[in-house]
């Protein structure tokens, strides 16, 4: 079992706080975005992976309509009524659970409240999607408790709606689908127009360094939403000038962008070029992986970060410093920011045999916390029979 010490700690804290064992426990991992930045809400393509850091969510029925939720690291409890769920203005971490519960409750009326606690080890603000890990673990556990049938896409959409309406971030579905669909040693290629995904093998000698810059980011402060608005403005422009249907930037090629970008403000045109280029890089990257060309794939990662830095404006000095250092370290094949940007983590591709040396070199060159990770399994219900 991944992260069993956290599972055991959560079981102990749950029993001490609520006086009984949970009736359902679910686990969901964070994710690393490997290629395809801000393409999900532009109906494009992404390569991502679930990681071996995640969140457990434990829950049991109670005899009232009150929902009690405890953050296991803080041991802080909040409450809300099962029939009157709304975004919270304080202890805003609860909004990811409140919104997920509201989405499930819309499918089936909640006949009772619950007692719940969550605990995980995805670093907050690191760009590894601790929020999606919480939403998906809560979604799986609450669906089990209330007998609500869901599938991966439905649950991902419930988590996305929680982000939009409760947390205030107009995110795509990348984080939720990645958390649900992960497989060991494989990347997830997701087509966000069709909401279809498949796994792509990386070969036995590839792993990632996740470099947390300690530059904390928050995507609910408006910057993420403004980037999305720029993409939507650009898509509307291209729909008006191109001779084929355009419903999102996925429908625009870089060649078309070069010819038809005039008429857009320069900054909006630049913002649009990033996800258009990212879509092309993802499709090229899939072919390179099939050919076993990890060096070529890594070069696309470096290109991706440069596009984020120059065109999209979602990098920062700390992220740029790590990527620049990575370029000079033998054994690092590629590196780029991972996730929404504005802080958080850099993901670097290395051969497994080079991971230790490359980690030490990066740690010496930049002030960041580095973890060696391989793609891991996705979200699941935990076996309650593992109680100590």
């Amino acid at each position: 079992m991944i992260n069993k010490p956290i599972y055991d700690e959560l079981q102990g804290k749950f029993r001490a706080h609520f006086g009984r064992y949970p009736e359902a426990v679910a686990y969901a991992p964070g994710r690393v975005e490997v290629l395809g930045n801000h393409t999900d809400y532009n109906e494009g393509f992404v390569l991502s992976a679930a990681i071996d850091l995640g969140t457990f969510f434990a829950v049991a029925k109670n005899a009232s309509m009150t929902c009690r939720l405890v953050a296991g690291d803080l041991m802080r409890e909040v409450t809300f009524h099962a029939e009157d769920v709304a975004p919270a203005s304080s202890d805003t971490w609860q909004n990811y659970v409140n919104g997920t519960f509201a989405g499930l409750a819309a499918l089936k009326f909640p006949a009772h409240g619950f007692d719940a606690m969550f605990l995980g080890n995805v670093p907050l603000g690191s760009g590894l999607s601790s929020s999606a890990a919480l939403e998906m673990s809560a979604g799986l556990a609450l669906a089990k408790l209330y007998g609500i049938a869901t599938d991966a896409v439905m649950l991902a959409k419930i988590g996305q709606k929680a982000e939009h309406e409760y947390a205030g971030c107009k995110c795509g579905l990348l984080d939720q689908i990645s958390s649900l669909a992960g497989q060991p040693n494989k990347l997830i290629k997701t087509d966000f127009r069709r909401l279809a995904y498949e796994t792509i093998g990386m070969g036995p000698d590839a792993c990632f360094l996740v470099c947390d810059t300690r530059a904390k980011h928050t995507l609910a402060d408006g910057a993420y939403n403004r980037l999305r608005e720029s993409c939507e403005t650009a898509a509307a422009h291209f729909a008006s000038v191109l001779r084929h249907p355009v419903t999102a930037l996925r429908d625009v090629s870089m060649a078309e962008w070069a010819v038809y970008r005039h008429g857009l403000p320069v900054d909006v045109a630049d913002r649009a070029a990033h996800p258009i280029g990212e879509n092309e890089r993802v499709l090229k990257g899939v072919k390179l992986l099939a050919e076993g060309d990890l060096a070529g794939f890594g070069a696309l990662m470096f290109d991706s970060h440069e596009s984020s830095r120059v065109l999209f404006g979602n990098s920062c000095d700390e992220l740029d410093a790590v990527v620049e250092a990575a370029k000079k370290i033998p054994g690092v094949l590629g590196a780029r920011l991972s996730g929404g940007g504005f802080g958080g983590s850099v993901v670097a591709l290395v051969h497994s045999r080079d991971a230790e040396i490359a980690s030490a070199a990066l740690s010496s060159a930049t002030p960041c916390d580095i973890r060696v990770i391989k793609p891991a399994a996705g979200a699941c219900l935990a076996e309650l029979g593992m109680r100590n």
Side-chain angles (χ1 to χ4, degrees):
M1 181 187 218
I2 293 177
N3 297 323
K4 189 174 185 297
I6 296 176
Y7 172 87
D8 292 339
E9 181 181 352
L10 178 63
Q11 286 272 17
K13 286 184 171 182
F14 189 100
R15 188 178 185 189
H17 191 81
F18 294 115
R20 64 196 191 284
Y21 281 115
E23 297 173 46
V25 180
Y27 171 80
R31 65 93 191 95
V32 62
E33 175 199 280
V34 179
L35 207 57
N37 184 247
H38 284 259
T39 51
D40 52 349
Y41 58 80
N42 287 298
E43 299 185 12
F45 302 96
V46 181
L47 286 171
S48 62
I51 63 176
D52 56 356
L53 304 171
T55 298
F56 285 96
F57 190 96
V59 65
K61 300 173 187 173
N62 65 35
S64 71
M65 292 301 288
T66 298
C67 299
R68 302 170 63 193
L69 175 65
V70 178
D73 56 343
L74 305 172
M75 290 309 294
R76 180 171 177 82
E77 180 176 313
V78 297
T79 62
F80 61 90
H81 196 275
E83 297 178 87
D84 185 25
V85 192
S89 57
S90 61
D91 296 312
T92 53
W93 47 265
Q94 69 184 286
N95 283 324
Y96 302 107
V97 177
N98 293 9
T100 300
F101 176 80
L104 291 169
L107 300 176
K108 182 178 179 181
F109 178 80
H112 53 79
F114 64 76
D115 297 337
M117 183 182 294
F118 64 90
L119 187 66
N121 62 353
V122 184
L124 300 179
S126 63
L128 301 177
S129 201
S130 57
S131 59
L134 176 54
E135 291 155 8
M136 295 302 93
S137 60
L140 283 175
L142 290 168
K144 174 69 173 178
L145 186 75
Y146 286 94
I148 300 172
T150 62
D151 58 32
V153 171
M154 182 186 301
L155 192 57
K157 286 182 175 180
I158 287 172
Q160 180 193 40
K161 190 173 182 181
E163 296 267 5
H164 287 197
E165 297 184 1
Y166 283 73
C169 178
K170 299 294 183 181
C171 68
L173 283 165
L174 164 65
D175 298 348
Q176 293 81 9
I177 285 180
S178 300
S179 181
L180 291 166
Q183 289 188 21
N185 301 316
K186 291 186 177 181
L187 299 183
I188 307 154
K189 177 197 172 191
T190 307
D191 177 339
F192 283 95
R193 171 160 291 167
R194 295 172 52 233
L195 291 183
Y197 53 85
E198 60 181 310
T199 54
I200 306 291
M202 291 196 65
D205 189 38
C207 68
F208 296 107
L209 308 180
V210 173
C211 314
D212 184 354
T213 65
R214 307 172 194 156
K216 300 303 181 185
H217 75 164
T218 173
L219 299 184
D221 64 359
Y224 184 104
N225 294 343
R226 287 191 293 274
L227 289 175
R228 181 167 183 160
E229 289 166 4
S230 292
C231 291
E232 291 168 350
T233 296
H237 165 77
F238 289 115
S240 72
V241 298
L242 293 177
R243 296 184 183 88
H244 61 78
V246 174
T247 60
L249 289 179
R250 176 210 177 109
D251 300 312
V252 183
S253 69
M254 283 303 298
E256 290 171 331
W257 174 88
V259 173
Y260 292 99
R261 71 183 187 275
H262 305 291
L264 282 172
V266 173
D267 63 328
V268 174
D270 285 349
R271 301 292 185 262
H274 177 64
I276 293 170
E278 284 289 274
N279 280 326
E280 296 185 1
R281 281 185 281 273
V282 169
L283 297 178
K284 184 177 180 180
V286 170
K287 292 180 180 179
L288 291 172
L289 288 177
E291 296 166 0
D293 187 354
L294 283 179
F297 186 89
L300 292 177
M301 294 175 67
F302 282 130
D303 292 345
S304 172
H305 185 81
E306 190 67 3
S307 179
S308 284
R309 186 183 72 84
V310 174
L311 297 173
F312 211 55
N314 66 326
S315 189
C316 66
D317 291 344
E318 294 89 345
L319 292 167
D320 295 341
V322 174
V323 173
E324 285 304 308
K327 290 178 180 178
K328 300 178 178 69
I329 295 173
V332 177
L333 304 175
R336 62 185 288 275
L337 66 81
S338 181
F342 310 106
S345 296
V346 165
V347 56
L349 174 66
V350 298
H351 291 293
S352 298
R353 61 180 180 269
D354 298 324
E356 185 175 347
I357 294 174
S359 294
L362 264 177
S363 295
S364 297
T366 60
C368 60
D369 300 319
I370 299 178
R371 294 175 177 84
V372 179
I373 66 165
K374 285 194 172 185
C380 63
L381 289 167
E383 291 290 338
L384 294 180
M386 297 187 68
R387 294 171 182 160
N388 293 331

